[in-house]
Amino acid sequence: MGPAPRVDRRAAALGRRIALVLAALALLLAALSLGALGVTRQAVREIERNRDESMRNTGEKLAATISARDLLWVLDLVVDAESGSPRAEQFEFYRSTPAWEQLGAVLRGLEGDGVISSAWLLAPSGELLLVGRGDGPTAEEAAEERLRDAAFVARAAAGETVSTRPKDDPERKAVFTPLYGVAEEGRAARVVGVLRLESERRYLDAAQRQVGRALVAFGLGAVLVATLWVWLVRLLRRAQEAERNAAQADRMRTLGTLTAGIAHELRNPLGILRLQIEDLRATAASGALRPEDVRAVADDLEAEAKRLEALTNQFLAYAKPPEQGDSAPCDLAAGARDTLRLYRKGVDPERLRLVEAIPAEPVPVRLGESALRQVLLNLLRNAEEALEGRASGCIEVTVSKRPGGGGLLEVADDGPGLDAAVAEQAFDPFFTTKAKGTGLGLALCRKLAEESGGAIRHTPAPGGGARFAVELPAP
């Protein structure tokens, strides 16, 4: 009887999930039904806009590529400059010229591209001059079109590319593009003709059918998605469980690495302690124990004890989980300024110069104040140790605001810098190039930065040296 309630709870939870899936599916289908009309209208408008843009581009490209000196000169002679109408006597004469034939060939090429159903060449006053393929309107139809398109032709004759809208003509789409003649010195080129491109709106019917098919397919897809969603929940649960197992395995590997590092670091000071104790015993047994011998051994024991204490403290700081009390955001500028003020007290200004570039205004970041102090102190100590053995050196600390929010803390020195192999392992626990280093300083900096959602990286400093940049997010 014990497991029954658990099974019931699982069944109830599964039932709720299924109910949620069915409700979501019902809402989706309702939304599809209600939005079908809106989607269709939007698709039609988009197709109309694309067709309009395509026809405009075609007309403008053609107007820009037709040579005014090779072809359009004939229009400049045929069309009267004042009225914009063709001169009857000139029109009959120039219709037999090669330029006129080439213009006809251009229009025929447009009508054969699958988009343009008819291409006309009009005078600026609206008279029909040339029809593309020859199956265009008769003279009577052209006269009717001239009356209907008079406003569009007038705008094109004024230098504007203009197109009709569905309310202007629900059956056809037309674009009117101005054609310019030869520009002469002291006189701008004038409009000598209007290119009229037309496309039948039957393409919208096909588009609407395609939209209907797409909606049906979308509805079926929604049902499939709803079905797959149930299986996806199960897969997500399995993935989360696998992720937890992988995280646990990763923690165990990290613990193994830390344990091996601690054992390695403890071996040396413990060996020294053992040797010192054995030496003290041997000296005491020989009867030649002097006070100065005791003091020397005591000094060595104290030094190694301090080293063990420092190693233990760093290990505990690295291994402990983040404290909620230290997660309150802090002012990066104020925290860096205070830490530098304290650090300067233990620095010889003749040997080490500390330069700071910290803004006066606050730079709020998510990292806690004590964690910030740990990070900056570790970076300052590393920089100072990199300058050991030199008569003088310089450490520069810079704080700045990041464009997307948060702050950037940079610590740079003018020491020898890090080579590529060392820089690649610089943040690994227990990796160090120092004789008495623990290799936990930079690893602790990375841990604290990443726990706050930030990151730390190393880049060579300009002019030599090392530069460590800590990126911290906004609270």
Side-chain angles (χ1 to χ4, degrees):
M1 296 298 291
R6 181 177 301 176
V7 173
D8 291 341
R9 287 194 295 269
R10 290 180 178 177
L14 180 60
R16 285 194 297 270
R17 286 195 293 271
I18 293 176
L20 288 175
V21 171
L22 293 177
L25 180 59
L27 289 175
L28 178 61
L29 293 177
L32 288 177
S33 300
L34 294 175
L37 180 59
V39 171
T40 303
R41 288 179 177 176
Q42 181 63 31
V44 168
R45 283 195 295 267
E46 183 68 17
I47 294 171
E48 176 74 15
R49 187 188 65 81
N50 291 338
R51 180 58 62 100
D52 181 81
E53 183 177 356
S54 174
M55 293 178 66
R56 279 174 170 265
N57 290 339
T58 300
E60 290 175 353
K61 287 180 181 178
L62 184 62
T65 55
I66 294 179
S67 172
R69 296 191 179 279
D70 293 341
L71 298 181
L72 296 183
W73 63 267
V74 66
L75 293 182
D76 215 356
L77 296 175
V78 168
V79 175
D80 183 78
E82 297 296 332
S83 64
S85 301
R87 301 186 185 96
E89 69 282 359
Q90 299 279 16
F91 183 61
E92 292 299 327
F93 176 77
Y94 284 106
R95 285 180 63 180
S96 60
T97 60
W100 195 264
E101 291 295 329
Q102 291 183 44
L103 284 173
V106 169
L107 296 185
R108 288 191 294 273
L110 287 175
E111 292 187 351
D113 70 348
V115 175
I116 308 301
S117 60
S118 65
W120 297 1
L121 182 60
L122 307 174
S125 57
E127 285 86 350
L128 178 62
L129 298 178
L130 188 61
V131 177
R133 203 164 43 211
D135 57 352
T138 63
E140 292 77 10
E141 292 172 334
E144 293 179 6
E145 291 294 333
R146 183 169 65 250
L147 293 175
R148 182 168 59 176
D149 297 335
F152 300 105
V153 175
R155 290 169 63 182
E160 177 186 0
T161 298
V162 61
S163 57
T164 62
R165 294 168 296 178
K167 67 178 184 179
D168 299 322
D169 190 340
E171 299 298 328
R172 289 173 293 179
K173 173 78 175 178
V175 173
F176 301 83
T177 305
L179 299 176
Y180 291 89
V182 180
E184 298 180 1
E185 186 176 356
R187 181 173 68 88
R190 63 184 180 87
V191 177
V192 295
V194 175
L195 178 65
R196 182 189 188 280
L197 304 180
E198 184 180 284
S199 177
E200 295 181 358
R201 294 187 185 275
R202 285 198 298 263
Y203 61 85
L204 291 179
D205 298 334
Q208 290 171 350
R209 288 194 297 271
Q210 290 296 332
V211 171
R213 296 190 187 102
L215 287 176
V216 173
F218 186 72
L220 294 176
V223 175
L224 178 60
V225 168
T227 304
L228 292 177
W229 186 84
V230 177
W231 294 102
L232 181 61
V233 170
R234 298 179 181 178
L235 290 177
L236 286 175
R237 287 181 175 176
R238 294 177 183 175
Q240 289 172 353
E241 184 177 355
E243 185 178 356
R244 286 193 295 268
N245 292 337
Q248 179 67 20
D250 186 61
R251 284 193 293 269
M252 294 302 294
R253 285 194 298 271
T254 302
L255 181 60
T257 302
L258 291 176
T259 303
I262 286 290
H264 175 76
E265 292 295 329
L266 290 178
R267 187 180 296 117
N268 291 334
L270 288 176
I272 293 175
L273 291 174
R274 186 179 65 253
L275 291 175
Q276 292 292 341
I277 292 172
E278 290 177 356
D279 185 52
L280 181 62
R281 285 175 177 171
T283 305
S286 65
L289 186 63
R290 297 172 301 173
E292 54 268 24
D293 295 330
V294 176
R295 283 195 298 271
V297 173
D299 290 342
D300 291 339
L301 293 177
E302 183 180 12
E304 293 305 318
K306 287 182 178 179
R307 183 181 174 190
L308 285 174
E309 182 182 9
L311 176 63
T312 303
N313 289 336
Q314 280 197 310
F315 171 72
L316 291 175
Y318 180 80
K320 72 176 181 179
E323 297 180 3
Q324 298 299 322
D326 194 43
S327 61
C330 74
D331 179 4
L332 176 60
R337 198 179 294 113
D338 290 343
T339 303
L340 274 174
R341 178 177 55 81
L342 296 174
Y343 194 78
R344 288 180 190 275
K345 296 180 178 180
V347 171
D348 181 6
E350 298 294 330
R351 185 186 67 84
L352 183 62
R353 187 164 57 96
L354 290 177
V355 179
E356 63 179 74
I358 302 175
E361 64 273 10
V363 182
V365 294
R366 192 181 301 169
L367 187 66
E369 186 174 349
S370 63
L372 169 62
R373 181 164 296 183
Q374 278 186 288
V375 170
L376 183 52
L377 285 176
N378 276 326
L379 295 178
L380 288 171
R381 291 193 192 102
N382 281 354
E384 185 177 0
E385 290 171 359
L387 298 171
E388 287 183 355
R390 298 179 55 176
S392 63
C394 177
I395 300 177
E396 181 178 358
V397 178
T398 305
V399 172
S400 58
K401 288 184 177 181
R402 298 175 64 195
L408 178 66
L409 171 67
E410 296 178 283
V411 178
D413 63 70
D414 58 353
L418 304 180
D419 58 39
V422 172
E424 186 176 354
Q425 305 177 70
F427 298 101
D428 293 345
F430 299 105
F431 175 81
T432 181
T433 58
K434 305 168 189 174
K436 296 185 178 181
T438 63
L440 284 174
L442 288 177
L444 178 60
C445 290
R446 181 174 66 176
K447 175 178 179 289
L448 294 173
E450 291 179 349
E451 283 176 354
S452 69
I456 183 172
R457 67 178 187 276
H458 163 266
T459 55
R467 178 185 296 273
F468 289 89
V470 185
E471 299 175 356
L472 298 171

